[in-house]
Amino acid sequence: GSHIPITALQENYMDYSNQKGWHSVILQDAVDGKGLFRNVLNRLPGSLHDTRILWLSALWELVSQ
């Protein structure tokens, strides 16, 4: 996962403040052994913990079955 810097709107701006103190959205991606992207998620606020992001992703549904 990576944090993508954004300019946060006034509404809910604290949700987007990450642990480093700047505003971001999360980019989570998963690549297979051939280098092909199998899952991409890029809409969650920067304040969320990595584990929570995984639980909210379709990737978690795939690996937890």
Side-chain angles (χ1 to χ4, degrees), residues 36-50:
L36 300 173
F37 286 94
R38 294 299 178 183
N39 182 268
V40 176
L41 176 65
N42 66 348
R43 61 179 162 74
L44 297 174
S47 63
L48 291 179
H49 189 275
D50 293 344

Side-chain angles (χ1 to χ4, degrees), residues 5-62:
I6 62 166
T7 301
L9 300 174
Q10 287 291 353
E11 184 178 322
N12 301 325
Y13 74 98
M14 288 303 295
D15 291 342
Y16 293 89
S17 182
N18 62 34
Q19 293 175 344
K20 304 253 182 192
W22 43 277
H23 296 102
S24 64
V25 292
I26 302 290
L27 169 64
Q28 173 191 279
D29 56 43
V31 179
D32 68 12
K34 296 180 182 179
L36 300 173
F37 286 94
R38 294 299 178 183
N39 182 268
V40 176
L41 176 65
N42 66 348
R43 61 179 162 74
L44 297 174
S47 63
L48 291 179
H49 189 275
D50 293 344
T51 303
R52 181 84 173 128
I53 294 164
L54 178 60
W55 290 343
L56 292 170
S57 72
L59 179 62
W60 180 253
E61 291 179 33
L62 291 172

